[in-house]
């Protein structure tokens, strides 16, 4: 039938008997990535609108993280009988990176529901909405980075050359954030109860993950820490900054969790992409 | 040359929010041993639609509310994929279904035009040309650089209309308000619509306003409960003009 079609600028074809789910999912990701400028513009708008009219804008987050650092730092360094200089760099890096990860996971649950109107109006690649969600949180999270520099300056901690490993570490977080925005975005569009569940789980993991406490405090139980995906991912950024690169086992685990996450997201995208428009 | 070819299109529209949506109900529902295995409310929105629309045809989709007109438009636009059947749309598609979607109230008119261009995937040069065109047509003066949250209703309509119509697709899909009453708010809007409609190779408009159908369309397809119950020239489907 195709050969009798005239020359046209565009061709849209869909056949329910031959849904070509995999090709369409791949095209979704490729075309979505190619239109990153739209995702950046939307992420930027989200931030601007969220903090409209506020004097400090996203720096409110920096301020509140700073206050939290100081409060927890003083109290828990006394509790753990550590000097502030020993404790604060660990806490600063952990808290900032945790906030970043936790925001990404929480907002991943609304990546598609938030864009409901536009999803029903025009067929955009779903990748764009996930990318928008990830980029927005990356930009917001970056506002906390000066805190780490400040704490390092005050405490006189200077990481060595292994600090360059934060680059792959941050990339792992970004990839996971994007994959989760696709995966949780789809699941939570379909089942609206999962969003609040994710919120509670993140709260639980805040205490299960060595953020306030140092991993060494676990003694021999510390060997089990890589079972916690958040610890592993966190360690790929914290390790290079304060631990001379981080444990190899944490890096291996972080890569493994990332692969699982990406494979799951890809499988869901292939299987359910065409259903998202009905779910949002 | 454009073409729309539909063969046996079906669409079930699940209504999750009618109670089947929550995880709790899903889990509990499955425990209730096969009384209702799928346990979701499904409305058959479109059933076995087959039609071919060729170059030069301007088609009205008519029918009551809930007959499936807008759903069919969305399917032609590529938003909903059919659960059965085959659809081919050859030609660049321009959809004017929900014009307020993707508008950011906190941004200025100019920023919104840029945003719309990004949504449509346009290049920098096209964006500049389109911005100039919309600015001239919407005629908002200095309000073009003010957040549209502050616009009066009329100014909002002018900008939305200018943005939506600033394209020349080969296949034009639109919901009725563009052609009905209000859109004729200015002589130049009329002229612009005419250019858009006649410039497109194919137009499909969803409407239940017979005057719109008689004025703009060459063919009508009547939908009732998601099924085609009439397809032919306007006079065939609507009956001759009443005296």
């Amino acid at each position: 039938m195709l050969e009798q079609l005239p020359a046209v600028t565009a061709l849209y074809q869909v056949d329910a008997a031959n849904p070509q789910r995999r090709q369409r999912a791949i095209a979704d990701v490729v075309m979505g990535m190619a239109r990153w400028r739209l995702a950046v513009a939307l992420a930027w708008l989200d931030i601007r609108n969220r903090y409209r009219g506020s004097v400090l804008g996203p720096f409110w987050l920096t301020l509140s993280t700073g206050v939290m650092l100081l409060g927890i730092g003083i109290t828990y360094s006394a509790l753990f009988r550590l000097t502030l200089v020993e404790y604060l760099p660990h806490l600063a890096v952990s808290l900032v990176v945790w906030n970043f990860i936790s925001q990404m996971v929480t907002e991943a649950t609304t990546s598609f529901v938030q864009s409901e109107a536009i999803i029903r109006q025009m067929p955009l690649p779903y990748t764009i909405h996930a990318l928008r969600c990830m980029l927005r949180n990356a930009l917001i999270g970056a506002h906390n980075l000066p805190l780490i520099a400040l704490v390092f300056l005050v405490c006189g901690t200077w990481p060595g050359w292994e600090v360059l490993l934060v680059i792959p570490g941050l990339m792992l977080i970004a990839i996971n954030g994007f994959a989760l925005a696709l995966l949780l975005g789809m699941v939570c569009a379909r089942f609206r109860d999962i969003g609040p569940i994710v919120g509670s789980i993140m709260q639980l993991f805040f205490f299960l993950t060595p953020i306030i406490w140092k991993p060494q405090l676990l003694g021999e139980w510390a060997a089990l820490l890589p079972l916690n995906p958040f610890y592993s991912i966190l360690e790929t950024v914290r390790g290079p900054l304060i631990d001379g690169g981080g444990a190899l086992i944490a890096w291996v685990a972080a890569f493994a969790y990332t692969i699982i996450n990406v494979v799951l997201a890809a499988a869901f995208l292939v299987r359910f992409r065409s259903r998202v428009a009905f779910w949002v | 040359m454009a073409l729309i070819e539909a063969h046996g299109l079906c669409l079930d529209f699940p209504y999750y929010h009618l109670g089947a949506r929550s995880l709790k109900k899903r889990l509990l529902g499955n425990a209730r041993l096969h009384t209702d295995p799928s346990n979701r409310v499904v409305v058959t929105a479109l059933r076995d639609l087959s039609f071919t629309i060729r170059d030069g045809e301007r088609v009205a989709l008519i029918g009551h509310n809930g007959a499936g007109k807008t759903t069919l438009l969305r399917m032609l636009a590529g938003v909903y994929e059919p659960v059965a059947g085959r659809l081919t749309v050859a030609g660049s598609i321009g959809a004017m279904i929900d014009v307020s979607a993707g508008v950011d109230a906190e941004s200025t008119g100019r920023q919104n035009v840029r945003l719309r261009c990004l949504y449509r995937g346009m290049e920098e040069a096209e964006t500049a040309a389109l911005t100039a065109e919309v600015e001239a047509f919407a005629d908002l003066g200095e309000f073009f650089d003010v957040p549209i949250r502050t616009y009066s209703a009329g100014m909002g309509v002018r900008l939305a209309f200018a943005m939506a119509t600033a394209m020349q697709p080969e296949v034009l899909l639109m919901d009725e308000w563009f052609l009905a009453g209000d859109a004729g708010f200015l002589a130049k809007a009329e002229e612009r619509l005419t250019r858009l409609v006649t410039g497109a190779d194919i137009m499909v408009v969803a409407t239940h306003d017979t005057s719109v159908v008689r004025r703009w369309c060459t063919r009508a397809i009547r939908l009732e409960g998601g099924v085609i119950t009439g397809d032919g020239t306007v006079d065939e489907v609507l009956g001759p003009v009443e005296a």
Side-chain angles (χ1 to χ4, degrees):
Chain A
M1 202 184 314
L2 259 177
E3 57 276 4
Q4 72 186 49
L5 281 176
V8 282
T9 46
L11 180 66
Y12 169 66
Q13 257 184 323
V14 53
D15 182 354
N18 175 23
Q20 297 185 297
R21 290 202 179 107
R22 192 171 308 157
Q23 288 92 318
R24 284 178 197 273
I26 292 169
D28 189 292
V29 174
V30 170
M31 283 160 63
M33 290 295 176
R35 297 184 60 186
W36 58 272
R37 282 171 49 217
L38 173 60
V40 172
L42 290 173
W44 197 251
L45 271 183
D46 285 339
I47 296 177
R48 204 201 58 192
N49 290 350
R50 188 178 298 181
Y51 297 103
R52 179 174 61 93
S54 124
V55 181
L56 286 183
F59 285 104
W60 273 114
L61 220 67
T62 320
L63 200 66
S64 80
T65 313
V67 170
M68 204 165 154
L69 261 180
L70 214 60
I72 297 180
I74 292 171
T75 317
Y76 279 78
S77 64
L79 270 175
F80 293 142
R81 302 183 199 294
L82 292 167
T83 63
L84 217 49
V85 173
E86 283 174 295
Y87 180 59
L88 213 51
H90 163 83
L91 182 67
V93 174
S94 309
L95 202 60
V96 166
V97 178
W98 170 261
N99 278 349
F100 182 37
I101 294 176
S102 148
Q103 275 287 318
M104 280 229 188
V105 175
T106 319
E107 294 201 2
T109 59
T110 55
S111 62
F112 294 133
V113 176
Q114 182 201 24
S115 310
E116 169 196 15
I118 201 74
I119 287 176
R120 286 169 192 262
Q121 156 69 11
M122 59 174 88
L124 282 176
Y126 288 104
T127 302
I128 285 183
H129 308 297
L131 204 56
R132 164 193 196 173
C133 180
M134 190 273 278
L135 288 170
R136 174 178 65 225
N137 288 300
L139 287 170
I140 291 179
H143 284 83
N144 272 334
L145 292 180
L147 281 177
I148 296 183
L150 188 70
V151 167
F152 278 21
L153 200 69
V154 171
C155 296
T157 331
W158 293 114
W161 279 108
E162 61 271 8
V163 73
L164 290 177
L165 282 172
V166 296
I167 297 168
L170 288 172
M171 277 168 64
L172 277 184
I173 296 183
I175 292 170
N176 277 297
F178 171 69
L180 269 185
L182 281 176
L183 182 63
L184 281 181
M186 278 189 274
V187 173
C188 297
R190 175 64 185 83
F191 297 107
R192 300 293 167 106
D193 308 79
I194 294 187
I197 296 177
V198 169
S200 320
I201 291 177
M202 292 313 286
Q203 214 165 11
L204 179 64
F205 269 99
F206 175 75
F207 294 104
L208 294 185
T209 307
I211 297 161
I212 292 183
W213 44 279
K214 287 193 163 193
Q216 293 85 330
L217 286 172
L218 276 183
E220 58 194 48
W221 292 99
L224 294 180
L225 273 178
L227 290 177
N228 173 354
F230 295 104
Y231 161 79
S232 311
I233 305 273
L234 188 65
E235 200 59 19
T236 62
V237 177
R238 179 170 57 197
L241 280 173
I242 52 172
D243 260 349
L248 181 65
I249 178 78
W251 277 93
V252 173
F255 271 102
Y257 289 125
T258 308
I259 290 168
I260 293 172
N261 190 5
V262 169
V263 167
L264 268 180
F268 268 69
L269 186 67
V270 168
R271 178 62 188 83
F272 296 113
R273 192 192 48 83
S274 63
R275 303 303 299 165
V276 178
F278 300 102
W279 291 346
V280 291
Chain B
M1 283 279 284
L3 175 76
I4 299 179
E5 200 169 61
H7 191 83
L9 288 184
C10 286
L11 184 74
D12 288 332
F13 209 102
Y15 279 121
Y16 297 105
H17 56 275
L18 286 187
R21 172 162 238 153
S22 78
L23 183 64
K24 184 182 85 184
K25 290 202 174 148
R26 174 77 173 233
L27 294 174
L28 297 178
N30 281 354
R32 254 189 279 133
L33 287 175
H34 309 298
T35 42
D36 185 2
S38 75
N39 190 37
R40 57 177 194 185
V41 185
V42 175
V43 169
T44 305
L46 303 172
R47 218 178 319 160
D48 199 19
L49 305 187
S50 298
F51 53 86
T52 303
I53 301 175
R54 288 177 212 289
D55 227 26
E57 286 193 291
R58 297 202 291 275
V59 181
L61 300 175
I62 57 176
H64 296 294
N65 287 328
K69 305 187 297 283
T70 306
T71 305
L72 179 55
L73 270 192
R74 290 205 166 111
M75 185 179 277
L76 296 180
V79 172
Y80 296 148
E81 288 180 17
V83 292
R86 208 169 53 231
L87 172 67
T88 302
V89 181
S92 61
I93 301 172
M96 295 156 67
I97 299 170
D98 175 8
V99 281
S100 61
V103 170
D104 182 57
E106 303 300 334
S107 297
T108 66
R110 189 182 303 279
Q111 289 165 337
N112 266 296
V113 177
R114 278 197 74 83
L115 187 62
R116 183 60 60 98
C117 292
L118 277 174
Y119 270 125
R120 289 191 194 152
M122 296 168 111
E123 300 295 327
E124 200 59 42
E126 293 173 282
T127 303
L130 193 130
T131 307
E133 199 199 332
V134 170
E135 185 174 9
F137 181 84
D139 196 19
L140 296 166
E142 55 198 10
F143 276 93
F144 196 52
D145 290 302
V146 168
I148 62 172
R149 176 171 48 90
T150 63
Y151 285 16
S152 69
M155 289 159 76
V157 169
R158 246 149 62 205
L159 182 70
F161 182 86
M163 283 202 291
T165 52
M167 57 177 172
Q168 195 50 269
E170 288 159 338
V171 177
L172 177 65
L173 309 171
M174 61 167 123
D175 228 341
E176 67 177 345
W177 77 263
F178 282 97
L179 296 179
D182 278 4
F185 57 90
L186 284 172
K188 60 178 176 178
E190 183 87 25
E191 178 193 315
R192 196 178 167 99
L193 259 184
T194 312
R195 184 157 51 91
L196 182 65
V197 169
T198 52
D201 294 331
I202 287 179
M203 177 179 78
V204 182
V205 57
T207 183
H208 41 220
D209 182 343
T210 50
S211 64
V212 167
V213 182
R214 293 198 195 278
R215 162 120 198 257
W216 296 93
C217 300
T218 59
R219 174 179 169 189
I221 294 178
R222 184 187 292 281
L223 283 173
E224 270 171 46
V227 185
I228 294 179
T229 56
D231 182 356
T233 66
V234 172
D235 284 342
E236 279 169 17
V237 175
L238 287 182
V241 187
E242 289 152 35

